[in-house]
Amino acid sequence: MTDVVSLVAQWTRGNNRRRLIEEFLTGAATLALLGAVCVLMHRAAWVVTRLGASPPTWFPSANTLATAAYVAAGLSVLYVTLRGARRYRGRRLDALQMARQIDASNGSADPLSTALAVEAGTAAGSPDAMAIVHAKAQQAVGAVTRPVRGLQAPGGLMAGAGVAVAATVAGLLLLSGDNAFGQLDGPATPDDVAEASTEVQDDTPPLSDATKERLDEALARLERFEDNPALKQEAKETLAEARDHLRQALSDPKRTMGSLSRAEQALRRVAKQARKHGLYDQEKMQAMSPAELAEQMSKAMDGQDNQTAAELGEEMARRMEDASASELQAMSRAFEQNFKPTDSSARPGSDPSGPRPGETAEERAERWEKSLEKMTEQMRRGESGMSSSEMRRLADEMRKSGGAGSLDRSLDDALSDIRKAREGRLGDMGEDKPGAGEGEPGGGEGKPGAGEGPGMGEGAGEGGPGEGGPGEGGGPGEGGGPGEGPPSGKPGPGGGSGSFAPGSMGFLPPGVGSTEKIDTPKAGVDNGAIRIIQRISAGRRDAKGQYKELHQQYEEVAEEAVRREQIPLTRREYIREYFEAVRPE
Amino acid sequence: MQEQPSPITEQRLVAAQDALGKLKTEIEKRLFGQSALVVQAIIGLLARGNILIEGQPGLGKTLPVHVMSEALDLQFSRIQFTPDLMPADITGSQTLVHDEKGAARLEFRAGPVFANIVLADEINRATPKTQSALLEAMQEQAVTVGGARRELPAPFIVAATQNPIEMEGTYPLPEAQLDRFLLKLEVPFPSFETLRDIGLHTTGTTEPTTERVMDRQTLIDLQSLVRDITVAPHVAEYAAKMVMATHPDSPDAPESIRKYVRYGASPRAMQSLILAGRAYALLCGRAWVGEDDLRQVAHPVLRHRMIPSFDAKLENITNNDLVDNLLSTVSEVRATG
């Protein structure tokens, strides 16, 4: 006996599923159509430019159009979703409606819908009559060949949307040759820009030796941490990712710029991880035996990775505190094996308890070895407190000193290498390097300043009218930015740098300077652009307002140039990125 | 001992449809062009309901009732309503009679209401008092005379006629009495072809005769069968929606009802709709009622149960127009593809 209720319920589900798919297709088609309009809106300025016309003065800026396009896209999604839900609600059937629909298609007077009530026990009448109804319903069910209507494509709308989208895409691609929709996902990242610039150029030059050398150096710096057992797995993986990108940058010149950006981003993530959770895995270090700790500490000291050595030393000190006599003996043996005794006669006067003024790196290393030797002796004698406090002091000193092979320094140096390599690469590709020379109003007398900055671009200095002396030009371009200014007066403190000073990423502790730190001559008055930048870089709060104003002024000029002038697409986002990066908080 | 009702079977439904078809055909032999009227009259008969037939003079209001009684071999009586007609003239009365020994006693002499089919001709010409004499008979199939309640023979239906145009000297039926008529049938003016046939077949020497096609017991069985027809909740829901929508103060009432109706249909109208729908389903040989059955009987069931407003009269809006509007606006439990 056919169960009419189950059968109709099954058909109802099938019908509702199909209606849902239809609504989804209709929604997708509508969205495609509206999306095409949004894309056109987003690219309106570009389209006008490509058509050979210059945007009229009243024409909205690219940012305004982009914002409007995003808002329109959001509203479109909302509209299509709500409309689809409402339509589906109206079109979905319950079992009774489904039964009635089948009854109507069969030309019969409600046997199925009545049979549903009979099976549910809600119908009125005699049982005999109900049995007849049920039998009739079963006959009707048996005669149904296609209870659920097939999918109906949203005809004209779908076709219209498809044609519109295809035409839009084709038009944009034909006109631009760029990824016309890239910006719908958000502002282009430096990767996108770099990739775009490399992909469109078939005659990509090979990497120059200088660039290769930089990249090899960066790679070597990062490879040192490949087997560091004290590092967290997360940090290791991110470093490995950065190494992979660097290798790709070396092997594929077409994608060098993108790979470098990705490598830089990976290193930034390491910095973020360091700030948030630290890079050293305490649990791993706790799991190491004293011999392993001593061995790894010795290796770190040999590689001038004082930071790792400090972390390991800290763990060692913690163990010394709680160690029994036998454990201290074991540690003492481990120290003896890993830290060789020094020739104490070499420097009889050296005191291992603290740094001396004017101490060289060799002297410091020797002092540390003596200190370790002293600890070995203390442990042998079972003086856990003494050895522990000595180890803590040493670890603290090591942490402060950083060392050329420490992770912070290596990351900063690698970043510096990457940036230099990128700028060098831009030079390889014959691109102008973005640079901006700055000149300060001269103070009346003095000598002309000089701009500086690596790269192959040109830095242009501007001298403000000062009290006389030539302004100083400078910018991150190769060669000096010639300063210009009135012929007399003091030199203005102009200057620019094409490289990032080590430590700029915030890895290094205060006081641990970089070997490449650039000291800008402090001369002239305090209200020049470079001076303001210097002061804000130095953390001077009083310069904040001036910097903000300066940033806004320069950004407006740059934005205007981007909008009005024929600046290559691949450079526009670069400029915007720059101003975003130096935006005051 | 009461007879056990025979079970409803497919064959019984077919037989019922066949018998009713024969009855319809037999009645139509003498009624030209009144097919819809005949069907509605049969529905009233099956549903044990009273019917009110309205039409202009000469259209054949009494004939279908007369012919139906002949075809069913039922006892038929006709009461010509006049202003001087008294209730006792309808129900009967007790009269003083003397027996063989000369003793006097009161004896009930049944009135014309004691019949299976009572034709109340031109019912609106009698006074309200006399009209009311029919109320108990119509509702309870019994009359009370001299303090004694007397059952009327089964089956019993009252078929009343009235003339809609001659209003002078008439007493329009009160709403309470109108509501007791299951259906109000309207006799339309015949078409040209029908008029021609009437001229050809009813003016000769030989009058067409009516054969008996159904006996009394069969009719009673069919009336019982009607009550067994299945009604699903969604069908009852549709009927309830229709009745609710006849009330001008109902939120579901269409605009026309709000404007042109003073009072809507009563719950008895709901019962009448379902009952008439069941009868129509049986007439179609079905064991269940569909929403379409309700639509088929909506006009005769509802047209006399809505009291039109003054605006309706002014704008010449008929109750049929209002029912049409009701049917088009009250949504069914309709499938939406």
Side-chain angles (χ1 to χ4, degrees):
Chain A
M1 190 173 184
T2 314
D3 182 0
V4 176
V5 169
S6 305
L7 205 53
V8 173
Q10 186 185 329
W11 290 340
T12 309
R13 281 194 298 275
N15 175 79
N16 291 345
R17 204 162 34 238
R18 292 195 181 195
R19 299 298 85 81
L20 187 63
I21 293 170
E22 280 177 13
E23 287 310 323
F24 180 78
L25 290 176
T26 307
T30 314
L31 211 53
L33 199 61
L34 295 172
V37 174
C38 292
V39 170
L40 280 176
M41 193 189 294
H42 189 266
R43 308 286 290 180
W46 175 84
V47 169
V48 169
T49 310
R50 292 306 292 243
L51 290 174
S54 59
T57 50
W58 51 263
F59 203 76
S61 69
N63 278 343
T64 308
L65 285 169
T67 306
Y70 290 135
V71 170
L75 290 175
S76 302
V77 170
L78 191 67
Y79 163 72
V80 168
T81 308
L82 292 178
R83 180 171 169 269
R86 188 166 156 270
R87 275 172 54 98
Y88 173 65
R89 199 175 158 197
R91 293 184 68 199
R92 75 188 300 275
L93 302 179
D94 59 22
L96 178 63
Q97 289 170 325
M98 187 74 206
R100 282 192 53 80
Q101 187 168 290
I102 295 167
D103 283 339
S105 64
N106 282 354
S108 52
D110 304 350
L112 266 186
S113 50
T114 306
L116 288 181
V118 167
E119 280 194 12
T122 54
S126 80
D128 295 334
M130 289 187 197
I132 293 171
V133 176
H134 199 260
K136 283 279 179 192
Q138 285 176 318
Q139 282 178 18
V141 163
V144 173
T145 51
R146 194 177 180 189
V148 180
R149 195 160 47 83
L151 274 178
Q152 290 185 327
L157 183 60
M158 175 69 99
V163 169
V165 171
T168 308
V169 172
L172 286 171
L173 290 181
L174 280 174
L175 283 170
S176 73
D178 280 334
N179 177 11
F181 297 95
Q183 292 199 11
L184 259 192
D185 299 323
T189 63
D191 292 6
D192 300 331
V193 176
E195 284 192 12
S197 66
T198 52
E199 280 172 10
V200 294
Q201 292 171 2
D202 292 326
D203 51 346
T204 310
L207 296 182
S208 67
D209 290 342
T211 306
K212 275 184 187 171
E213 196 180 331
R214 291 277 188 200
L215 292 180
D216 283 334
E217 277 176 24
L219 201 52
R221 287 184 210 282
L222 298 181
E223 276 171 350
R224 283 209 294 272
F225 297 94
E226 202 167 350
D227 299 322
N228 190 325
L231 280 183
K232 282 183 177 173
Q233 190 58 31
E234 186 187 12
K236 277 187 173 182
E237 285 170 5
T238 318
L239 285 170
E241 187 187 328
R243 287 197 302 273
D244 290 344
H245 289 312
L246 284 179
R247 286 184 190 119
Q248 194 180 9
L250 274 165
S251 61
D252 186 357
K254 278 189 179 179
R255 298 188 180 274
T256 296
M257 295 300 281
S259 299
L260 289 179
S261 290
R262 280 188 280 272
E264 188 178 334
Q265 282 173 1
L267 293 183
R268 283 176 192 275
R269 282 208 302 281
V270 176
K272 199 173 172 186
Q273 289 164 11
R275 278 198 302 276
K276 277 192 170 178
H277 317 293
L279 294 178
Y280 290 92
D281 192 337
Q282 300 299 330
E283 285 181 11
K284 263 189 192 174
M285 287 191 283
Q286 284 166 15
M288 286 183 190
S289 67
E292 283 174 317
L293 280 172
E295 184 188 348
Q296 292 302 330
M297 190 174 168
S298 170
K299 275 187 187 172
M301 286 171 73
D302 290 346
Q304 295 190 358
D305 181 5
N306 296 338
Q307 200 174 1
T308 303
E311 295 293 334
L312 293 163
E314 196 67 42
E315 172 61 21
M316 196 82 85
R318 195 189 60 73
R319 290 193 193 187
M320 286 173 184
E321 268 179 6
D322 307 328
S324 62
S326 59
E327 285 170 337
L328 279 174
Q329 291 303 323
M331 286 187 200
S332 157
R333 282 193 295 278
F335 269 45
E336 278 176 348
Q337 285 168 11
N338 290 289
F339 303 115
K340 304 294 176 202
T342 54
D343 181 8
S344 56
S345 61
R347 292 188 185 277
S350 63
D351 177 13
S353 61
R356 287 183 292 106
E359 188 178 47
T360 62
E362 290 79 22
E363 286 169 348
R364 187 177 60 190
E366 193 180 324
R367 188 165 49 76
W368 286 353
E369 280 168 11
K370 279 194 172 184
S371 178
L372 286 164
E373 199 177 323
K374 184 177 165 188
M375 271 180 258
T376 310
E377 189 58 36
Q378 285 167 339
M379 283 189 286
R380 192 178 295 128
R381 292 201 298 268
E383 295 170 352
S384 63
M386 298 282 282
S387 59
S388 166
S389 65
E390 177 66 16
M391 181 53 97
R392 278 194 204 287
R393 188 199 60 74
L394 181 61
D396 194 42
E397 194 183 331
M398 284 175 165
R399 193 177 287 116
K400 281 179 183 166
S401 69
S406 69
L407 182 57
D408 284 349
R409 178 71 63 82
S410 299
L411 289 176
D412 270 339
D413 291 347
L415 269 172
S416 176
D417 287 337
I418 288 170
R419 288 188 177 280
K420 283 174 186 168
R422 195 154 65 174
E423 285 157 9
R425 181 63 184 152
L426 281 173
D428 295 344
M429 292 159 69
E431 298 279 349
D432 285 344
K433 192 163 109 32
E438 281 294 332
E440 284 290 311
E445 54 181 278
K447 57 190 177 189
E452 60 177 275
M456 297 188 64
E458 290 176 7
E462 279 182 23
E467 290 180 11
E472 187 164 325
E478 189 165 320
E484 286 178 15
S488 64
K490 292 178 182 176
S497 174
S499 66
F500 278 60
S504 61
M505 297 304 295
F507 292 131
L508 296 179
V512 183
S514 159
T515 52
E516 295 181 37
K517 187 171 180 182
I518 296 165
D519 290 320
T520 311
K522 298 185 190 307
V525 293
D526 276 356
N527 57 355
I530 295 300
R531 173 59 68 192
I532 291 169
I533 292 169
Q534 283 174 341
R535 288 173 66 195
I536 195 73
S537 303
R540 294 274 293 274
R541 289 193 170 191
D542 57 341
K544 213 167 180 178
Q546 291 172 312
Y547 181 71
K548 198 171 177 180
E549 198 179 324
L550 186 74
H551 179 276
Q552 194 178 351
Q553 179 191 344
Y554 276 59
E555 190 182 24
E556 277 171 11
V557 172
E559 187 63 37
E560 185 65 19
V562 164
R563 199 155 67 86
R564 297 283 176 214
E565 296 173 18
Q566 297 295 318
I567 291 179
L569 180 70
T570 53
R571 288 290 162 266
R572 292 181 190 176
E573 287 307 321
Y574 195 92
I575 292 168
R576 290 195 178 112
E577 278 283 307
Y578 170 77
F579 279 99
E580 196 55 44
V582 297
R583 182 181 295 283
E585 289 175 3
Chain B
M1 188 179 162
Q2 198 174 351
E3 199 179 332
Q4 192 72 17
S6 50
I8 305 172
T9 59
E10 194 82 47
Q11 291 76 17
R12 204 175 154 210
L13 285 171
V14 172
Q17 188 184 16
D18 190 39
L20 291 168
K22 280 181 184 167
L23 175 64
K24 179 172 174 279
T25 309
E26 193 59 33
I27 297 171
E28 281 177 342
K29 275 185 189 172
R30 292 179 64 185
L31 278 171
F32 298 98
Q34 303 284 17
S35 183
L37 182 80
V38 173
V39 169
Q40 289 170 3
I42 292 173
I43 288 171
L45 188 69
L46 289 173
R48 292 179 198 155
N50 306 296
I51 55 176
L52 176 64
I53 305 172
E54 189 174 271
Q56 293 172 13
L59 289 183
K61 295 187 288 292
T62 58
L63 189 61
V65 185
H66 197 240
V67 173
M68 193 159 62
S69 66
E70 284 180 4
L72 293 165
D73 195 20
L74 295 176
Q75 192 185 350
F76 172 77
S77 75
R78 173 173 177 160
I79 309 169
Q80 190 65 44
F81 277 55
T82 55
D84 58 351
L85 188 75
M86 299 302 287
D89 296 335
I90 297 170
T91 60
S93 60
Q94 289 182 319
T95 56
L96 195 64
V97 294
H98 296 273
D99 60 11
E100 293 166 351
K101 294 175 184 175
R105 62 182 173 82
L106 285 171
E107 189 181 281
F108 177 71
R109 289 207 171 170
V113 77
F114 285 85
N116 296 117
I117 297 179
V118 176
L119 174 61
D121 199 18
E122 298 196 85
I123 191 171
N124 56 341
R125 292 198 175 277
T127 59
K129 180 182 175 181
T130 309
Q131 288 173 1
S132 301
L134 273 177
L135 281 178
E136 186 185 4
M138 288 166 71
Q139 185 64 31
E140 299 176 26
Q141 283 84 45
V143 289
T144 305
V145 179
R149 180 183 164 88
R150 296 170 199 281
E151 295 288 334
L152 295 171
F156 174 83
I157 70 162
V158 173
T161 68
Q162 67 176 10
N163 181 345
I165 54 171
E166 291 178 19
M167 298 308 289
E168 196 167 341
T170 62
Y171 301 90
L173 289 173
E175 280 73 27
Q177 192 158 5
L178 273 176
D179 199 28
R180 280 174 169 78
F181 285 102
L182 178 82
L183 307 173
K184 180 181 175 186
L185 315 185
E186 288 182 347
V187 187
F189 193 82
S191 64
F192 174 80
E193 289 76 15
T194 307
L195 273 179
R196 183 194 61 201
D197 291 345
I198 290 170
L200 283 175
H201 299 292
T202 61
T203 53
T205 50
T206 51
E207 286 263 331
T209 55
T210 305
E211 289 178 21
R212 177 188 159 190
V213 292
M214 190 184 289
D215 62 11
R216 178 176 165 275
Q217 189 54 47
T218 307
L219 177 62
I220 291 173
D221 284 349
L222 289 177
Q223 285 179 333
S224 171
L225 192 57
V226 164
R227 308 266 166 168
D228 286 337
I229 298 295
T230 305
V231 180
H234 71 274
V235 176
E237 194 179 299
Y238 180 51
K241 273 186 182 175
M242 267 206 276
V243 172
M244 289 294 289
T246 61
H247 290 262
D249 51 354
S250 162
D252 298 327
E255 189 54 38
S256 61
I257 297 288
R258 291 177 196 209
K259 189 173 177 186
Y260 298 121
V261 175
R262 260 198 308 145
Y263 297 106
S266 67
R268 191 183 277 131
M270 170 75 188
Q271 293 172 314
S272 303
L273 259 180
I274 296 289
L275 205 51
R278 279 178 148 153
Y280 186 78
L282 181 63
L283 206 55
C284 299
R286 270 188 280 111
W288 68 92
V289 183
E291 287 174 352
D292 197 48
D293 298 332
L294 300 187
R295 282 192 290 279
Q296 293 293 333
V297 298
H299 277 92
V301 170
L302 294 176
R303 63 166 63 114
H304 60 294
R305 288 185 158 99
M306 291 186 287
I307 301 173
S309 67
F310 187 65
D311 284 344
K313 288 173 187 165
L314 272 182
E315 296 180 31
N316 208 20
I317 304 289
T318 66
N319 280 14
N320 282 335
D321 296 333
L322 294 174
V323 176
D324 284 338
N325 191 257
L326 203 64
L327 289 176
S328 63
T329 52
V330 175
S331 59
E332 306 165 45
V333 188
R334 179 71 75 183
T336 52

